[in-house]
Amino acid sequence: MKDKTKKRKWNWAQILAIFVLVTLVVSMVYATVNLITAPSGNAPEGQQTKGDYSLMLMQCVLGVVVLFLPSIISKKMKFVIPNAMYIVFIVFLYCAIYLGEVRSFYYLIPNWDTILHTFSGAMLGGLGFSIVSLLNNDERVTLSMSPVFVALFACSFAVFLGVFWEFYEFAADSFGMNMQKTMLEDGTMLQGHAAVADTMGDLFVDFLGAFVISIVGYFSIRKNKKWMKNFEFKKVDEEAK
């Protein structure tokens, strides 16, 4: 007989995902209600406007969509995302969208945006390594990639997505939002060097985070270490063994 007293393991990735999903949905309702009642023009210092709540709502909707993307992609491509990587991804979403936009950490906590961009650069660098690792372990791929190429790809992949994100922020700001932080909380527009400082700073720390992970990944492969193992994708049939 099988031991029925065996304890059931908690799937922390799923628990965190549900928590973040509920948080984002509640925030969407909050942003929608306030979007109706908030002033559309300049508001007293500390009071949020329709533009602020529009940005909050858009980011929460995007967060809900992105939250389900890993699951959808992994099912389509038939690979398993490690819990460690998924947990890091969920924590990042929570910090960037709920804490950053809904709780205004971007304004309340100095360098919050810089910290998140550095973190995202490292996270995306790890994602780049996982993609290459999956290809290297695929029997249909006959080319074995060198550690230098893998590190270069991981870094380039992360920086490319960082640039793509800045395009998204620029497009959103064209509709009266302030994702690139080109204006102060009171609506004062920044000029010259100050206006591009946020974007250039974001790109720099994106690269820095990706570069550090690329170096770690390079030595992990070169020295045959398993430092990146918990962040590597696995094939479905591999996982079932």
Side-chain angles (χ1 to χ4, degrees):
M1 289 180 68
K2 290 183 180 178
D3 185 10
K4 293 184 178 179
T5 62
K6 208 174 193 180
K7 289 185 179 179
R8 185 179 176 183
K9 288 184 179 179
W10 291 87
N11 190 326
W12 289 108
Q14 287 185 354
I15 293 169
L16 283 173
I18 292 169
F19 170 74
V20 173
L21 176 62
V22 172
T23 302
L24 292 178
V25 170
V26 171
S27 299
M28 285 166 60
V29 175
Y30 168 79
T32 302
V33 171
N34 283 280
L35 183 59
I36 299 169
T37 59
S40 55
N42 290 333
E45 190 174 348
Q47 184 178 340
Q48 292 180 306
T49 65
K50 285 187 184 296
D52 295 320
Y53 289 114
S54 296
L55 175 59
M56 188 186 299
L57 179 59
M58 183 181 74
Q59 291 286 72
C60 289
V61 171
L62 179 66
V64 170
V65 172
V66 171
L67 189 62
F68 288 101
L69 270 184
S71 177
I72 294 170
I73 294 173
S74 64
K75 285 178 182 176
K76 290 282 185 184
M77 304 297 290
K78 296 183 179 178
F79 64 83
V80 177
I81 298 175
N83 272 1
M85 175 172 278
Y86 193 44
I87 287 172
V88 168
F89 171 71
I90 294 168
V91 170
F92 172 76
L93 272 185
Y94 183 79
C95 291
I97 297 176
Y98 180 71
L99 295 182
E101 293 293 350
V102 181
R103 305 301 299 174
S104 300
F105 272 36
Y106 287 122
Y107 294 107
L108 298 175
I109 308 296
N111 300 316
W112 184 254
D113 186 51
T114 302
I115 293 168
L116 287 181
H117 271 278
T118 307
F119 183 80
S120 71
M123 181 178 68
L124 293 172
L127 177 61
F129 266 102
S130 295
I131 292 171
V132 175
S133 174
L134 190 67
L135 291 174
N136 262 342
N137 295 328
D138 194 327
E139 295 175 355
R140 294 170 297 178
V141 178
T142 57
L143 180 65
S144 180
M145 291 166 246
S146 70
V148 174
F149 176 83
V150 175
L152 183 62
F153 173 83
C155 187
S156 301
F157 178 80
V159 173
F160 166 75
L161 291 182
V163 171
F164 188 80
W165 178 260
E166 294 302 321
F167 289 164
Y168 163 72
E169 288 190 347
F170 178 78
D173 287 355
S174 301
F175 293 95
M177 298 180 188
N178 189 31
M179 293 191 71
Q180 291 185 302
K181 305 299 180 286
T182 54
M183 61 179 166
L184 303 177
E185 283 186 272
D186 60 5
T188 303
M189 293 297 299
L190 298 174
Q191 302 293 327
H193 184 272
V196 299
D198 179 79
T199 298
M200 297 310 298
D202 289 349
L203 291 175
F204 177 77
V205 294
D206 282 340
F207 168 75
L208 184 63
F211 181 73
V212 170
I213 288 297
S214 297
I215 295 297
V216 171
Y218 169 79
F219 284 106
S220 174
I221 298 171
R222 188 71 185 268
K223 303 293 184 182
N224 199 24
K225 302 292 183 180
K226 301 295 181 182
W227 298 335
M228 304 293 289
K229 188 176 180 180
N230 289 334
F231 295 93
E232 291 179 359
F233 296 151
K234 296 177 179 65
K235 285 184 175 181
V236 172
D237 58 346
E238 216 177 90
E239 188 72 11
K241 286 180 182 180

